[in-house]
Short mmCIF file of all heavy atoms in Angstrom, two decimals:
data_model
loop_
_atom_site.label_atom_id
_atom_site.label_comp_id
_atom_site.label_asym_id
_atom_site.label_seq_id
_atom_site.Cartn_x
_atom_site.Cartn_y
_atom_site.Cartn_z
N ASP A 129 111.33 102.77 103.57
CA ASP A 129 112.68 102.57 104.12
C ASP A 129 112.58 101.61 105.30
O ASP A 129 112.22 102.00 106.41
CB ASP A 129 113.28 103.90 104.57
CG ASP A 129 114.74 103.75 105.02
OD1 ASP A 129 115.20 102.61 105.20
OD2 ASP A 129 115.40 104.78 105.20
N PRO A 130 112.91 100.32 105.08
CA PRO A 130 112.79 99.33 106.16
C PRO A 130 113.71 99.60 107.34
O PRO A 130 113.40 99.19 108.47
CB PRO A 130 113.16 98.01 105.46
CG PRO A 130 112.97 98.28 104.00
CD PRO A 130 113.32 99.72 103.81
N THR A 131 114.84 100.25 107.10
CA THR A 131 115.80 100.48 108.19
C THR A 131 115.24 101.43 109.25
O THR A 131 115.54 101.30 110.44
CB THR A 131 117.12 101.02 107.65
OG1 THR A 131 116.88 102.26 106.97
CG2 THR A 131 117.77 100.04 106.69
N THR A 132 114.42 102.37 108.81
CA THR A 132 113.84 103.35 109.74
C THR A 132 112.33 103.18 109.88
O THR A 132 111.69 103.91 110.63
CB THR A 132 114.14 104.79 109.28
OG1 THR A 132 113.60 104.97 107.96
CG2 THR A 132 115.63 105.05 109.26
N ARG A 133 111.76 102.23 109.13
CA ARG A 133 110.32 101.99 109.10
C ARG A 133 109.58 103.28 108.75
O ARG A 133 108.59 103.65 109.36
CB ARG A 133 109.83 101.45 110.44
CG ARG A 133 108.57 100.57 110.33
CD ARG A 133 108.16 99.99 111.66
NE ARG A 133 107.73 101.00 112.60
CZ ARG A 133 108.26 101.21 113.81
NH1 ARG A 133 109.24 100.43 114.23
NH2 ARG A 133 107.80 102.15 114.61
N SER A 134 110.08 103.95 107.72
CA SER A 134 109.52 105.24 107.33
C SER A 134 108.98 105.20 105.91
O SER A 134 109.38 104.37 105.09
CB SER A 134 110.57 106.35 107.46
OG SER A 134 111.67 106.10 106.61
N VAL A 135 108.06 106.13 105.65
CA VAL A 135 107.36 106.20 104.37
C VAL A 135 107.51 107.61 103.80
O VAL A 135 107.39 108.60 104.53
CB VAL A 135 105.86 105.88 104.55
CG1 VAL A 135 105.15 105.92 103.20
CG2 VAL A 135 105.67 104.52 105.21
N THR A 136 107.75 107.67 102.50
CA THR A 136 107.77 108.94 101.78
C THR A 136 106.78 108.83 100.62
O THR A 136 106.84 107.87 99.84
CB THR A 136 109.17 109.27 101.23
OG1 THR A 136 110.08 109.39 102.33
CG2 THR A 136 109.16 110.57 100.44
N LEU A 137 105.89 109.80 100.52
CA LEU A 137 104.91 109.83 99.44
C LEU A 137 105.14 111.04 98.56
O LEU A 137 105.48 112.12 99.06
CB LEU A 137 103.48 109.90 100.01
CG LEU A 137 103.03 108.79 100.95
CD1 LEU A 137 101.62 109.10 101.46
CD2 LEU A 137 103.06 107.44 100.26
N GLN A 138 104.97 110.86 97.26
CA GLN A 138 105.01 112.02 96.38
C GLN A 138 103.84 112.94 96.71
O GLN A 138 102.76 112.50 97.11
CB GLN A 138 104.94 111.58 94.92
CG GLN A 138 106.22 110.94 94.41
CD GLN A 138 106.16 110.70 92.91
OE1 GLN A 138 105.44 111.39 92.18
NE2 GLN A 138 106.93 109.73 92.43
N THR A 139 104.06 114.24 96.53
CA THR A 139 103.03 115.23 96.86
C THR A 139 101.72 114.92 96.14
O THR A 139 101.70 114.65 94.94
CB THR A 139 103.50 116.63 96.46
OG1 THR A 139 104.72 116.93 97.15
CG2 THR A 139 102.45 117.67 96.81
N GLY A 140 100.63 114.94 96.90
CA GLY A 140 99.32 114.70 96.31
C GLY A 140 98.88 113.25 96.30
O GLY A 140 97.79 112.94 95.82
N THR A 141 99.69 112.35 96.86
CA THR A 141 99.32 110.94 96.88
C THR A 141 98.31 110.67 97.99
O THR A 141 98.47 111.15 99.12
CB THR A 141 100.56 110.06 97.11
OG1 THR A 141 101.51 110.30 96.07
CG2 THR A 141 100.20 108.58 97.13
N LEU A 142 97.28 109.91 97.67
CA LEU A 142 96.26 109.53 98.65
C LEU A 142 96.13 108.01 98.65
O LEU A 142 95.84 107.42 97.61
CB LEU A 142 94.92 110.19 98.33
CG LEU A 142 93.81 110.01 99.36
CD1 LEU A 142 94.23 110.57 100.72
CD2 LEU A 142 92.52 110.69 98.88
N LEU A 143 96.35 107.41 99.80
CA LEU A 143 96.35 105.95 99.91
C LEU A 143 94.96 105.41 100.25
O LEU A 143 94.17 106.07 100.91
CB LEU A 143 97.34 105.50 100.98
CG LEU A 143 98.81 105.90 100.75
CD1 LEU A 143 99.67 105.48 101.95
CD2 LEU A 143 99.35 105.28 99.47
N ASP A 144 94.71 104.19 99.80
CA ASP A 144 93.48 103.47 100.12
C ASP A 144 93.86 102.00 100.29
O ASP A 144 94.30 101.35 99.34
CB ASP A 144 92.46 103.63 98.99
CG ASP A 144 91.17 102.85 99.26
OD1 ASP A 144 91.07 102.17 100.29
OD2 ASP A 144 90.25 102.93 98.41
N LEU A 145 93.70 101.48 101.50
CA LEU A 145 94.07 100.09 101.81
C LEU A 145 92.85 99.18 101.87
O LEU A 145 92.92 98.06 102.38
CB LEU A 145 94.83 100.04 103.14
CG LEU A 145 96.14 100.83 103.18
CD1 LEU A 145 96.77 100.75 104.58
CD2 LEU A 145 97.12 100.36 102.13
N GLY A 146 91.72 99.64 101.31
CA GLY A 146 90.49 98.86 101.38
C GLY A 146 90.58 97.50 100.72
O GLY A 146 89.83 96.59 101.07
N GLY A 147 91.49 97.33 99.77
CA GLY A 147 91.61 96.06 99.08
C GLY A 147 92.56 95.07 99.72
O GLY A 147 92.79 93.98 99.17
N ILE A 148 93.11 95.41 100.90
CA ILE A 148 94.08 94.53 101.53
C ILE A 148 93.95 94.51 103.06
O ILE A 148 94.36 93.52 103.70
CB ILE A 148 95.52 94.96 101.14
CG1 ILE A 148 96.55 93.88 101.49
CG2 ILE A 148 95.90 96.31 101.76
CD1 ILE A 148 97.95 94.16 100.93
N ALA A 149 93.35 95.53 103.63
CA ALA A 149 93.33 95.67 105.10
C ALA A 149 92.52 94.57 105.78
O ALA A 149 92.93 94.07 106.84
CB ALA A 149 92.77 97.04 105.49
N LYS A 150 91.39 94.17 105.21
CA LYS A 150 90.57 93.13 105.85
C LYS A 150 91.32 91.81 105.88
O LYS A 150 91.27 91.09 106.88
CB LYS A 150 89.24 92.97 105.10
CG LYS A 150 88.31 94.16 105.20
CD LYS A 150 86.92 93.83 104.69
CE LYS A 150 86.92 93.39 103.22
NZ LYS A 150 87.38 94.48 102.31
N GLY A 151 92.00 91.48 104.79
CA GLY A 151 92.77 90.25 104.76
C GLY A 151 93.90 90.26 105.78
O GLY A 151 94.15 89.26 106.47
N TYR A 152 94.57 91.41 105.89
CA TYR A 152 95.64 91.55 106.87
C TYR A 152 95.09 91.38 108.29
O TYR A 152 95.70 90.70 109.13
CB TYR A 152 96.32 92.92 106.72
CG TYR A 152 97.46 93.15 107.68
CD1 TYR A 152 98.76 92.79 107.33
CD2 TYR A 152 97.25 93.72 108.92
CE1 TYR A 152 99.82 93.00 108.22
CE2 TYR A 152 98.29 93.93 109.81
CZ TYR A 152 99.58 93.57 109.45
OH TYR A 152 100.62 93.77 110.33
N ALA A 153 93.95 91.99 108.57
CA ALA A 153 93.34 91.89 109.90
C ALA A 153 92.93 90.45 110.20
O ALA A 153 93.07 89.98 111.35
CB ALA A 153 92.14 92.82 110.01
N ALA A 154 92.43 89.74 109.20
CA ALA A 154 92.05 88.33 109.40
C ALA A 154 93.28 87.49 109.73
O ALA A 154 93.24 86.63 110.62
CB ALA A 154 91.34 87.80 108.16
N ASP A 155 94.38 87.74 109.01
CA ASP A 155 95.63 87.03 109.31
C ASP A 155 96.10 87.33 110.73
O ASP A 155 96.58 86.44 111.45
CB ASP A 155 96.73 87.46 108.32
CG ASP A 155 96.58 86.83 106.95
OD1 ASP A 155 95.96 85.76 106.84
OD2 ASP A 155 97.10 87.43 105.98
N GLU A 156 95.97 88.58 111.13
CA GLU A 156 96.41 88.98 112.47
C GLU A 156 95.57 88.29 113.54
O GLU A 156 96.10 87.84 114.57
CB GLU A 156 96.32 90.50 112.61
CG GLU A 156 96.73 91.06 113.96
CD GLU A 156 98.22 90.96 114.24
OE1 GLU A 156 98.96 90.42 113.39
OE2 GLU A 156 98.64 91.41 115.32
N CYS A 157 94.26 88.18 113.30
CA CYS A 157 93.39 87.49 114.26
C CYS A 157 93.79 86.02 114.38
O CYS A 157 93.85 85.46 115.49
CB CYS A 157 91.94 87.58 113.82
SG CYS A 157 91.20 89.20 114.09
N LEU A 158 94.06 85.39 113.25
CA LEU A 158 94.46 83.99 113.27
C LEU A 158 95.77 83.81 114.04
O LEU A 158 95.93 82.87 114.82
CB LEU A 158 94.61 83.47 111.84
CG LEU A 158 94.54 81.95 111.64
CD1 LEU A 158 93.21 81.40 112.09
CD2 LEU A 158 94.78 81.61 110.17
N ARG A 159 96.69 84.75 113.86
CA ARG A 159 97.97 84.71 114.59
C ARG A 159 97.74 84.83 116.09
O ARG A 159 98.34 84.09 116.89
CB ARG A 159 98.89 85.83 114.09
CG ARG A 159 100.28 85.82 114.73
CD ARG A 159 101.06 87.06 114.38
NE ARG A 159 100.52 88.25 114.99
CZ ARG A 159 100.74 88.61 116.26
NH1 ARG A 159 101.49 87.83 117.05
NH2 ARG A 159 100.22 89.71 116.75
N LEU A 160 96.86 85.74 116.49
CA LEU A 160 96.58 85.94 117.91
C LEU A 160 95.90 84.71 118.52
O LEU A 160 96.18 84.34 119.66
CB LEU A 160 95.70 87.17 118.10
CG LEU A 160 96.37 88.52 117.83
CD1 LEU A 160 95.35 89.64 117.88
CD2 LEU A 160 97.49 88.78 118.83
N LEU A 161 95.01 84.09 117.77
CA LEU A 161 94.35 82.88 118.26
C LEU A 161 95.37 81.76 118.48
O LEU A 161 95.34 81.06 119.50
CB LEU A 161 93.28 82.43 117.27
CG LEU A 161 92.03 83.32 117.18
CD1 LEU A 161 91.18 82.93 115.99
CD2 LEU A 161 91.21 83.22 118.47
N LYS A 162 96.27 81.58 117.54
CA LYS A 162 97.30 80.56 117.69
C LYS A 162 98.20 80.87 118.87
O LYS A 162 98.63 79.96 119.60
CB LYS A 162 98.12 80.46 116.41
CG LYS A 162 97.37 79.86 115.22
CD LYS A 162 98.26 79.74 113.99
CE LYS A 162 97.51 79.08 112.84
NZ LYS A 162 98.36 78.94 111.62
N GLN A 163 98.47 82.15 119.08
CA GLN A 163 99.30 82.58 120.20
C GLN A 163 98.67 82.19 121.53
O GLN A 163 99.37 81.93 122.53
CB GLN A 163 99.48 84.10 120.12
CG GLN A 163 100.57 84.67 121.00
CD GLN A 163 100.73 86.16 120.78
OE1 GLN A 163 99.90 86.97 121.19
NE2 GLN A 163 101.79 86.54 120.09
N GLN A 164 97.33 82.12 121.54
CA GLN A 164 96.61 81.76 122.76
C GLN A 164 96.23 80.28 122.81
O GLN A 164 95.41 79.87 123.61
CB GLN A 164 95.36 82.63 122.88
CG GLN A 164 95.68 84.11 123.00
CD GLN A 164 94.45 84.97 122.93
OE1 GLN A 164 93.77 85.20 123.95
NE2 GLN A 164 94.13 85.48 121.76
N GLY A 165 96.86 79.51 121.92
CA GLY A 165 96.65 78.06 121.94
C GLY A 165 95.44 77.58 121.16
O GLY A 165 95.08 76.40 121.25
N LEU A 166 94.82 78.46 120.39
CA LEU A 166 93.64 78.08 119.61
C LEU A 166 93.99 78.07 118.12
O LEU A 166 93.62 78.96 117.37
CB LEU A 166 92.49 79.05 119.89
CG LEU A 166 92.09 79.21 121.37
CD1 LEU A 166 90.92 80.17 121.51
CD2 LEU A 166 91.75 77.87 121.99
N SER A 167 94.72 77.06 117.72
CA SER A 167 95.20 77.01 116.33
C SER A 167 94.15 76.45 115.37
O SER A 167 94.25 76.65 114.15
CB SER A 167 96.47 76.15 116.24
OG SER A 167 96.20 74.81 116.63
N GLN A 168 93.15 75.75 115.89
CA GLN A 168 92.09 75.20 115.04
C GLN A 168 90.98 76.24 114.95
O GLN A 168 90.03 76.24 115.72
CB GLN A 168 91.56 73.88 115.63
CG GLN A 168 92.63 72.78 115.67
CD GLN A 168 92.21 71.58 116.48
OE1 GLN A 168 91.77 71.73 117.62
NE2 GLN A 168 92.33 70.39 115.90
N ALA A 169 91.14 77.15 114.00
CA ALA A 169 90.26 78.31 113.94
C ALA A 169 90.09 78.81 112.52
O ALA A 169 90.91 78.54 111.64
CB ALA A 169 90.82 79.43 114.82
N VAL A 170 89.01 79.56 112.33
CA VAL A 170 88.73 80.24 111.07
C VAL A 170 88.29 81.66 111.39
O VAL A 170 87.50 81.89 112.31
CB VAL A 170 87.61 79.53 110.28
CG1 VAL A 170 87.16 80.37 109.09
CG2 VAL A 170 88.07 78.18 109.78
N VAL A 171 88.81 82.62 110.62
CA VAL A 171 88.41 84.01 110.76
C VAL A 171 87.85 84.48 109.41
O VAL A 171 88.51 84.36 108.39
CB VAL A 171 89.60 84.91 111.15
CG1 VAL A 171 89.14 86.37 111.28
CG2 VAL A 171 90.23 84.43 112.45
N GLN A 172 86.62 84.99 109.44
CA GLN A 172 85.98 85.49 108.23
C GLN A 172 85.76 86.99 108.34
O GLN A 172 85.30 87.48 109.38
CB GLN A 172 84.64 84.79 108.00
CG GLN A 172 84.77 83.32 107.61
CD GLN A 172 83.43 82.69 107.28
OE1 GLN A 172 82.49 82.80 108.05
NE2 GLN A 172 83.35 82.04 106.13
N ALA A 173 86.10 87.69 107.28
CA ALA A 173 85.90 89.14 107.21
C ALA A 173 85.26 89.44 105.86
O ALA A 173 85.95 89.66 104.86
CB ALA A 173 87.22 89.88 107.37
N GLY A 174 83.93 89.43 105.82
CA GLY A 174 83.26 89.62 104.54
C GLY A 174 83.59 88.49 103.59
O GLY A 174 83.37 87.32 103.89
N GLY A 175 84.16 88.82 102.46
CA GLY A 175 84.53 87.81 101.47
C GLY A 175 85.90 87.21 101.67
O GLY A 175 86.40 86.49 100.79
N ASP A 176 86.54 87.51 102.80
CA ASP A 176 87.90 87.02 103.07
C ASP A 176 87.87 86.03 104.23
O ASP A 176 87.26 86.30 105.27
CB ASP A 176 88.82 88.19 103.43
CG ASP A 176 88.85 89.25 102.34
OD1 ASP A 176 89.11 88.88 101.18
OD2 ASP A 176 88.60 90.42 102.65
N THR A 177 88.56 84.91 104.06
CA THR A 177 88.57 83.86 105.08
C THR A 177 89.99 83.37 105.32
O THR A 177 90.66 82.91 104.39
CB THR A 177 87.69 82.67 104.67
OG1 THR A 177 86.36 83.12 104.39
CG2 THR A 177 87.65 81.62 105.76
N ALA A 178 90.46 83.47 106.56
CA ALA A 178 91.76 82.95 106.97
C ALA A 178 91.54 81.67 107.76
O ALA A 178 90.75 81.65 108.72
CB ALA A 178 92.51 83.97 107.82
N VAL A 179 92.21 80.60 107.37
CA VAL A 179 91.97 79.28 107.94
C VAL A 179 93.21 78.76 108.66
O VAL A 179 94.31 78.78 108.10
CB VAL A 179 91.56 78.29 106.82
CG1 VAL A 179 91.22 76.92 107.42
CG2 VAL A 179 90.38 78.83 106.02
N GLY A 180 93.03 78.29 109.88
CA GLY A 180 94.13 77.73 110.66
C GLY A 180 94.20 76.22 110.54
O GLY A 180 93.86 75.65 109.50
N ASP A 181 94.64 75.57 111.61
CA ASP A 181 94.74 74.11 111.61
C ASP A 181 93.37 73.48 111.42
O ASP A 181 92.34 74.04 111.78
CB ASP A 181 95.34 73.62 112.93
CG ASP A 181 96.81 74.00 113.08
OD1 ASP A 181 97.43 74.38 112.07
OD2 ASP A 181 97.32 73.91 114.22
N ALA A 182 93.37 72.26 110.88
CA ALA A 182 92.12 71.53 110.62
C ALA A 182 91.40 71.18 111.92
O ALA A 182 92.04 71.01 112.97
CB ALA A 182 92.42 70.26 109.83
N PRO A 183 90.08 71.07 111.87
CA PRO A 183 89.32 70.63 113.05
C PRO A 183 89.72 69.21 113.45
O PRO A 183 90.29 68.47 112.63
CB PRO A 183 87.86 70.67 112.58
CG PRO A 183 87.86 71.57 111.39
CD PRO A 183 89.20 71.38 110.75
N PRO A 184 89.46 68.80 114.66
CA PRO A 184 89.83 67.44 115.10
C PRO A 184 89.26 66.36 114.19
O PRO A 184 88.07 66.34 113.88
CB PRO A 184 89.19 67.37 116.51
CG PRO A 184 89.09 68.79 116.96
CD PRO A 184 88.81 69.58 115.73
N GLY A 185 90.13 65.48 113.74
CA GLY A 185 89.71 64.34 112.94
C GLY A 185 89.31 64.65 111.52
O GLY A 185 88.75 63.79 110.83
N LYS A 186 89.57 65.87 111.05
CA LYS A 186 89.19 66.24 109.69
C LYS A 186 90.40 66.79 108.93
O LYS A 186 91.36 67.28 109.54
CB LYS A 186 88.07 67.29 109.72
CG LYS A 186 86.78 66.78 110.33
CD LYS A 186 85.69 67.84 110.25
CE LYS A 186 84.37 67.32 110.82
NZ LYS A 186 83.28 68.33 110.74
N PRO A 187 90.37 66.70 107.58
CA PRO A 187 91.50 67.19 106.80
C PRO A 187 91.56 68.71 106.71
O PRO A 187 92.60 69.28 106.36
CB PRO A 187 91.25 66.59 105.41
CG PRO A 187 89.77 66.40 105.34
CD PRO A 187 89.35 66.04 106.74
N GLY A 188 90.45 69.37 106.99
CA GLY A 188 90.43 70.83 106.92
C GLY A 188 89.04 71.37 107.19
O GLY A 188 88.12 70.64 107.53
N TRP A 189 88.91 72.68 107.05
CA TRP A 189 87.63 73.36 107.23
C TRP A 189 86.91 73.42 105.88
O TRP A 189 87.52 73.72 104.86
CB TRP A 189 87.84 74.78 107.75
CG TRP A 189 88.40 74.85 109.14
CD1 TRP A 189 89.72 74.74 109.49
CD2 TRP A 189 87.68 75.06 110.35
NE1 TRP A 189 89.86 74.87 110.84
CE2 TRP A 189 88.63 75.08 111.41
CE3 TRP A 189 86.33 75.25 110.65
CZ2 TRP A 189 88.27 75.26 112.73
CZ3 TRP A 189 85.97 75.45 111.97
CH2 TRP A 189 86.92 75.45 113.00
N GLU A 190 85.61 73.15 105.91
CA GLU A 190 84.82 73.26 104.69
C GLU A 190 84.37 74.71 104.50
O GLU A 190 83.65 75.26 105.32
CB GLU A 190 83.60 72.34 104.75
CG GLU A 190 83.95 70.86 104.75
CD GLU A 190 82.72 69.97 104.65
OE1 GLU A 190 81.59 70.52 104.65
OE2 GLU A 190 82.89 68.74 104.55
N ILE A 191 84.82 75.29 103.40
CA ILE A 191 84.49 76.68 103.08
C ILE A 191 83.62 76.69 101.83
O ILE A 191 83.98 76.10 100.81
CB ILE A 191 85.76 77.51 102.84
CG1 ILE A 191 86.76 77.36 104.00
CG2 ILE A 191 85.40 78.97 102.62
CD1 ILE A 191 86.25 77.85 105.33
#
Side-chain angles (χ1 to χ4, degrees):
D129 186 347
T131 59
T132 59
R133 208 177 66 237
S134 61
V135 181
T136 299
L137 302 177
Q138 287 188 25
T139 301
T141 301
L142 187 59
L143 300 175
D144 178 359
L145 299 178
I148 194 171
K150 293 191 300 296
Y152 181 90
D155 284 335
E156 179 70 359
C157 285
L158 200 61
R159 183 189 69 80
L160 290 173
L161 289 169
K162 290 182 177 181
Q163 194 176 74
Q164 297 173 85
L166 304 181
S167 62
Q168 296 169 310
V170 170
V171 180
Q172 291 184 309
D176 304 307
T177 304
V179 183
D181 291 346
K186 296 183 178 180
W189 293 82
E190 293 187 356
I191 309 297

